[in-house]
Amino acid sequence: MLSDRARSPGRHGWSPITLALLGCLWMASAGNLALWRALHRLGALDGWRGAALAAGVALAIGAALALVLAPFAWRRSLKPALALLLLAAAAGSHFMWAYGIVIDSTMLANVLQTDLHEARDLLSGRLLLTLTLLGIVPAWWIVRAPVDWGRWPGRLRANLLLFAGALAVLVGTVLAAYQPLAALSRGHRELRHLVNPLNSLQALAKLGVGRPAQATTRQPLGTDARIAALAGRTDRAPLLVLVLGETARADHFALNGYARPTTPALAALDVTSQRNAWSCGTSTAASVPCMFSHLAREEFDSRDADHDTLVDVLQHAGLAVLWLDNQAGCKGVCDRVPNVNTSALRHPTLCPDGECLDEILLDGLDKRLAALPVERRARGTVLVLHQMGSHGPAYHRRSPPDAKHFQPECRSVALQDCEHPALVNAYDNSIAYTDRFLAATIRWLQARGEAADSALLYVADHGESLGEHNLYLHGLPYAVAPDVQKHVAWISWFSPAFARRSGVAAGCLQQRRDERLGHEHYFHSVLGLLDVQTSAYRPERDFYRACRQP
C-alpha cells in the first residue's frame, strides 16, 4: 500500500471521511444493480415517487455502510476495509445479477464450502469484467489516493461525527420512506438479501456468532440403536445403498411425468418414484445436514445443538457404514464414519479433465466394501453415494459425450447468455446421466443378490431454477424460493429378497406416489427399512411404515 502522505509539498490529500463516503456512495449505487433491477420489475421505481424511493434507499444503504466503516477510519484500517468491501460488493453484484440469487447465511456457507472444481465452474469473462469495473478499479484508486490523516484527537472526533451523522441519516431516511419500504419488505422479503454488500456482512455475522452452541456442541443420539430380531429373516445381511442426489428437481424426471425421456433406464427397472417429495433446504449446505438429522426443517433451524446423524445411528446399531463423496464434502454428516472423497481421483475415462463423473463411485466398490469390518458387514452394510449429479452452472460437465441425448446443449457458465432450450438440454442431459448411474448401481446390487438382501434409495438434496422468473441455480431463502428449488426426486428400488425382509409392498408405494413427503421422513424411513430399533426413531415419520406388511 502506498504512503498516505501528500505527494507534493502543500498537497494535503483527501479527507478520510470524504474517501469513506465516496466508497459508500459507489457501493450503494453501482454496487446494487441487482437491487435496482428487482425494484424496477416490481414497479417501485416508476414516477417521481419511485425516484424519491430510489434516492432514499441509496442514501440509507450508503449511511449504513458509513456506520460500518466509521470504526475503521484510521490510517492502517480504512483503505483495507474499503478495498475488501468494494471487492465483496463487486462479487455479490455479479452473482446476484447473473443468476438471480440472493446472499444470506446459507448462500455464504455454500460459498465458503465451495471446492476448486465448483469455483472453476463459476469463472467467466463477465465475472472478471464486473470484478474489475466495480471492485478492482475503485479499490486501486482508493489504495493510491493521498490522504490527510491529521492528528489522532482530530481523527477520533471526525470518526465519531461520521458515525453520528451516518446514524442520523439512516434513521431519517428510513422514517421518511417507512411506508413504501415496509410494504415492499413484507411482500418481497428477498429484497433485504439484495442490499449489497450489507447482505454479505450480515450473513458473515450470522455464521460467525449466530449459533455458537451448534458450532461447539454435538449431542449423542441413538446410542441405544440395535437391529431388531424379526422372525422369518434370511441369513443374508441387508445391503442398502443411499444415493444422495444433487440439484435434481422432480419435474425433470420422466418417471414423474416429464415429457422428455430422461429416465429410460430406471423405467425398465422395478422402481417406485414418489412424485411429491420436498427438501428441507435449497442448498447442499442446508439440506444435507437437515435430511440426515432426526428433525424436521423447522425443528432443525431452531435447534440449540447438533446431534449425531443418521449414519452415526446406523453405526451405533453395529452396521457397516461407508460414505463415498464425489462432491465438495458431506457437510460434517459423515465425519465420524468411514468416508472417501473420489472427486480428485485419476481415471482415464471417468475423470477426463480433473473432475470425475459419478460412475467413479462404483469403481473398485467391492474392494472398498471388503475393507469394512467383517463383524459389522455380517449385520448389514449401508453405502452412501454422494453425487455430483446436476450441479450447476456447468451442467454440460455433468454428463459424458455418449450421454448427451438432448441437443444443442448450453456449454457456458453464463447461463443467461444461453438460449433457454439449450440450457434445459444441458440440465436434462445431466438427469439422463443420473438415470444411467442409478441403473448401473441397481445392476451392481442385483449381481450380489445371493449374498445380500439389497435395496437402493435415491433422494435429491434440493432442486434448481433454470431461468424461470429470471432465476438461476438455487439457494434462495426457503420462504421465498420457488417450488422448483424445493421439489425433489425420491426413488426406491427393493430386490425381491429385501422387499420380503422389510415387508414393504411396492404396489402400496405406487398407490402413495402422489402423497406428500419430505426430508423429515428420510432419517426415520431408513431406520425402519433396516429394522433399527432406537429411541430416536419416530414411526409417524417413517414413510414406508404404512406400506409394511406384517
Side-chain angles (χ1 to χ4, degrees), residues 54 210 217 409 516:
T217 306
E409 181 185 60
R516 188 180 178 100

Side-chain angles (χ1 to χ4, degrees), residues 415-469:
L415 301 181
Q416 68 277 18
D417 292 343
C418 292
E419 294 290 335
H420 188 257
L423 173 59
V424 173
N425 285 343
Y427 182 80
D428 284 350
N429 284 333
S430 71
I431 297 295
Y433 179 62
T434 287
D435 170 67
R436 185 170 102 177
F437 166 70
L438 293 176
T441 307
I442 290 174
R443 288 194 296 271
W444 177 83
L445 288 169
Q446 289 173 328
R448 284 141 192 84
E450 295 186 2
D453 298 341
S454 57
L456 178 144
L457 177 59
Y458 167 84
V459 182
D461 59 352
H462 55 79
E464 187 84 329
S465 287
L466 296 174
E468 301 93 347
H469 310 293

